Amino acid sequence: MVAKIFVITYSTYGHINKVAESIVKGLEKTGAEAHRFQVAETLSDEVLAKMHAPPKADIPVITPDQLPEADGYLFGIPTRYGTAPAQFKAFLDSTGGLWSKQALAGKPAGFFFSTGSQHGGQESTVLTTLPFLAHHGMLYVPLGYPHPNLFTNEEVVGGSAWGSGTVANSDGTRMPSQKELELAEFHGEKFAAIATKLSQIVANDKV
Ligand SMILES: Cc1cc2nc3c(=O)[nH]c(=O)nc-3n(C[C@H](O)[C@H](O)[C@H](O)COP(=O)(O)O)c2cc1C
């Protein structure tokens, strides 16, 4: 059985979208089905223009009713003040109907992230989003330390035990590095392996 994984992102400047491409590569390497979505923008065009945000990538906008179709989720979120952006929170807050039916319970989820600075809150972004998973009864799948790029100190490498990631610079000039993209691809592969096993257990239970 092939697992269907939704990669759901928010990105203002494109860094998360770039990491998501490697995540998808890793997912697909395992034979999993990867589907990309973005959450809806909540800022006005006027504010986005003042933030020098480029036009949105051509990725379908997710609606909460689509979530139960997936066997697992990788959420890509750029840090805002050490936590998730309001756009992402607005999407999570729209899942009350699913929560009331516990429609996402038992499904695995992981995170990848982007910060402006090296110590700008990659871990705290995930940590402060975990209550969403807990209330839905979803299973957080961390990355752990299975990849050598997580131990590199010779250069800046985003990502940690909490998931893959990138460091964008405060002006957005740094794009995801080779090591970060390798880690993201590996993250996709590792997550797909776990989501596939879980989805097989769920499928067998239904027989
Ligand atoms: C309102 C605001 C708050 C931010 N807060 C942080 C922060 O707490 N720590 C940090 O390192 N970067 C912070 N950033 C930088 C973003 O995390 C960075 O622009 C983002 O990771 C780039 O990803 P994207 O290109 O996918 O949007 C902030 C950016 C904005 C606009």
Side-chain angles (χ1 to χ4, degrees), residues 11-16 51 78-82 114-117 120 168:
S11 185
T12 307
Y13 301 107
H15 297 79
I16 281 288
M51 291 171 73
T79 295
R80 296 282 184 274
Y81 308 113
S114 168
T115 51
S117 63

